[in-house]
Amino acid sequence: MEKTSLKLLTCLLFFFVACQLACTPNRMISRKVKKEFQHSQLIKKYQVGFALYDMDQKELLFQQDADKYFTPASNTKLFTFYAGLKMAPDSIPSLRYVERGDSLIFWGTGDPSFLHSQLKGTKAYNFLKNSSKKLFFAPGRYTGNFYGNGWQWDDYNEYYQAEINELPLMDNMVLVSTTANGQINITPQIFASCFAVDSTAQAKAFKVTRDFNSNHFTYPKVPITTKTAQQVPFKVSTATTINLLADTLHKYVGIINFKMPANAQTIYNVKSDSVFKQMLQPSDNFIAEQLLLTYANQVGEELNTAKIIAYIEQHYLTSLPDKPKWVDGSGLSRGNLFTPRDMVKLLELIYTEVNNKERLFGLLPAGGKTGTLKNAYPKTDKPFVFGKTGSLSNNHNQSGYVVTQKGRVLIFSFMNNNFVQPTSEVRNEMVRLMTYIHDNF
């Protein structure tokens, strides 16, 4: 009789504990989110990886293929952002220099803010402008290619694929704007002589096309009746960079073969947060790629994307659950491969490093309010998703933070690869599911 009672008591206790565990808030979230994913007919049609993480409890609430690798696209910029928080937390280095007699010799750091159209970094420019010494640029620090690993060569004419170099100026872009009365304006003006009409082009609308190997730009002979603006990457070279700099400074700039000494001084241009925000919110590829070079400047003479990525992985990313395949700063390359649980861990590291929710959420796109998430979610003054989008053809992702109705901050990574549906359908399904998580928890 006593043994039977003991068995009954044990069973009741086990049942009670099981019920308690099953009814905890996080268990409820897991069950309900899992149900929503199972009921989604759309995401069954392509590869989906998802992870939802509770920072307070250090618990993965729900995951679907979170340990599998996905093409991250511009989610890669979160890696570049975190590296910046560690390696350039205050300001971005813009120039290195030494003075030798009547000469000022300077080296590039890869700083994207140097006369950038939005960031308008002018400290380095003013330093050179106001110097009474002869100016000499010493090239050779950058040891990579003008494109990142695995970039699409046929996107060379598009605004989102500017070339990489050690002394970028004015976004490494030519801005071509037109007026309704047919006038064409070219900035920087130094490139105006490189433009010509292509009378053989069969086109209905005005569009500038650059020759792949040179700064020869053409446009079709069509009537111009509306205002337009087009950014076209120019072909970088030491000669082009120095000619553009000299034309902007209105003074001679020479070229010299001179190895940078370890004690070369540094000019800083703009605050890091300004650059991070401009990279993250509009998802600026040029800034992301160049930022990696500025990090390389912090640890040595050579500016090399592959080597600085290896350094970052070794020094700052050893806690990731899966070894990332990280090859560029922007995510233009399909060579990048990350898992959703890597993205979640990275976002946790970012949250801890910033240690200021308002500052962090102010840097990231906000659903329905700012950046690349502005039009993804309904317009609002109280966004609940803060994160980074990532889009390539047949791939679309979101990774970031969701603030629930009850005020909880959860980390998520939602990665969608290899779909043939319109991106808008995939985006809308992500928004529906993230809104469900916000509304119900």
Side-chain angles (χ1 to χ4, degrees):
M1 188 71 177
E2 289 181 359
K3 289 184 179 181
T4 304
S5 299
L6 184 59
K7 285 183 179 180
L8 180 60
L9 182 62
T10 301
C11 290
L12 288 173
L13 182 61
F14 177 81
F15 179 75
F16 175 76
V17 171
C19 286
Q20 288 296 105
L21 288 173
C23 295
T24 59
N26 282 356
R27 298 281 177 171
M28 291 176 63
I29 292 174
S30 178
R31 290 204 316 273
K32 290 184 176 181
V33 174
K34 181 179 181 180
K35 187 177 180 180
E36 285 297 312
F37 270 73
Q38 288 176 337
H39 286 175
S40 173
Q41 296 303 308
L42 183 64
I43 64 176
K44 294 176 181 178
K45 299 178 180 179
Y46 47 85
Q47 283 72 55
V48 174
F50 182 79
L52 184 66
Y53 180 75
D54 182 348
M55 284 187 291
D56 292 335
Q57 300 297 322
K58 306 295 181 185
E59 182 180 2
L60 195 63
L61 303 179
F62 174 72
Q63 68 85 27
Q64 176 172 313
D65 288 338
D67 60 341
K68 290 184 170 59
Y69 286 88
F70 291 81
T71 300
S74 283
N75 274 201
T76 304
K77 293 182 176 73
L78 290 170
F79 279 77
T80 305
F81 174 40
Y82 178 62
L85 293 171
K86 303 296 289 188
M87 303 187 72
D90 182 73
S91 301
I92 302 299
S94 189
L95 290 179
R96 304 289 295 276
Y97 74 95
V98 295
E99 295 180 347
R100 294 287 188 270
D102 65 349
S103 300
L104 189 154
I105 303 169
F106 63 96
W107 296 261
T109 64
D111 173 27
S113 72
F114 197 118
L115 299 180
H116 187 271
S117 58
Q118 302 299 316
L119 295 168
K120 304 186 186 303
T122 57
K123 286 184 180 179
Y125 169 82
N126 290 335
F127 173 74
L128 298 177
K129 179 74 173 176
N130 296 329
S131 175
S132 60
K133 296 182 178 293
K134 297 176 182 177
L135 302 180
F136 292 92
F137 172 61
R141 292 191 74 196
Y142 178 54
T143 58
N145 294 316
F146 60 87
Y147 279 164
N149 182 337
W151 286 13
Q152 296 280 109
W153 72 267
D154 54 349
D155 284 343
Y156 77 94
N157 202 68
E158 304 300 329
Y159 74 93
Y160 52 78
Q161 195 160 297
E163 297 187 3
I164 307 168
N165 67 335
E166 62 199 281
L167 187 64
L169 301 172
M170 302 177 184
D171 315 26
N172 282 352
M173 296 275 193
V174 178
L175 174 63
V176 184
S177 57
T178 64
T179 62
N181 61 6
Q183 183 178 355
I184 301 173
N185 298 308
I186 298 167
T187 307
Q189 187 61 30
I190 193 175
F191 287 103
S193 61
C194 303
F195 280 69
V197 176
D198 182 0
S199 58
T200 65
Q202 300 295 315
K204 296 181 180 180
F206 179 86
K207 182 181 179 180
V208 173
T209 303
R210 196 201 83 211
D211 178 73
F212 182 77
N213 293 311
S214 68
N215 284 316
H216 178 63
F217 302 84
T218 59
Y219 55 91
K221 190 176 182 179
V222 295
I224 301 172
T225 59
T226 58
K227 290 183 178 181
T228 63
Q230 181 187 353
Q231 283 185 306
V232 184
F234 62 75
K235 186 69 184 171
V236 301
S237 68
T238 299
T240 298
T241 295
I242 292 309
N243 287 337
L244 180 55
L245 181 60
D247 182 71
T248 307
L249 290 169
H250 304 295
K251 60 197 302 186
Y252 175 79
V253 180
I255 300 174
I256 188 172
N257 182 16
F258 197 89
K259 182 178 174 64
M260 188 183 76
N263 65 347
Q265 298 185 66
T266 303
I267 296 292
Y268 291 86
N269 226 6
V270 299
K271 290 294 184 181
S272 298
D273 273 11
S274 299
V275 185
F276 297 153
K277 185 175 182 178
Q278 185 61 32
M279 172 183 66
L280 293 167
Q281 291 206 3
S283 200
D284 192 307
N285 297 325
F286 165 74
I287 290 177
E289 296 302 331
Q290 296 292 156
L291 273 178
L292 285 183
L293 302 191
T294 68
Y295 307 158
N297 171 78
Q298 306 294 69
V299 296
E301 178 189 350
E302 184 180 8
L303 308 182
N304 182 281
T305 299
K307 290 182 179 180
I308 192 58
I309 285 176
Y311 178 93
I312 294 164
E313 288 179 333
Q314 179 182 353
H315 287 81
Y316 306 118
L317 297 175
T318 55
S319 63
L320 296 184
D322 306 297
K323 183 173 176 54
K325 188 170 185 290
W326 181 18
V327 302
D328 73 2
S330 64
L332 276 171
S333 176
R334 293 179 185 267
N336 296 302
L337 290 170
F338 306 143
T339 66
R341 65 182 186 179
D342 267 356
M343 297 304 306
V344 161
K345 181 60 181 178
L346 178 73
L347 286 157
E348 184 179 32
L349 292 172
I350 289 170
Y351 195 90
T352 302
E353 187 69 27
V354 175
N355 196 29
N356 183 316
K357 186 171 70 174
E358 286 69 31
R359 174 193 168 202
L360 175 57
F361 289 179
L363 294 174
L364 293 166
K369 189 173 183 181
T370 59
T372 53
L373 286 172
K374 181 178 182 178
N375 297 321
Y377 290 79
K379 185 177 179 181
T380 180
D381 290 327
K382 295 182 178 180
F384 58 84
V385 166
F386 304 86
K388 187 73 201 71
T389 58
S391 299
L392 291 170
S393 56
N394 313 111
N395 295 276
H396 188 59
N397 315 302
Q398 286 181 25
S399 295
Y401 310 90
V402 55
V403 182
T404 72
Q405 194 75 264
K406 294 180 180 179
R408 301 178 66 181
V409 179
L410 305 177
I411 300 177
F412 74 96
S413 181
F414 204 148
M415 308 186 83
N416 306 273
N417 281 192
N418 302 325
F419 55 79
V420 295
Q421 292 77 10
T423 299
S424 59
E425 291 184 13
V426 176
R427 182 188 301 113
N428 290 341
E429 186 65 353
M430 275 199 295
V431 169
R432 183 187 74 79
L433 289 164
M434 295 314 302
T435 302
Y436 173 84
I437 292 170
H438 162 263
D439 290 348
N440 288 277
F441 310 114

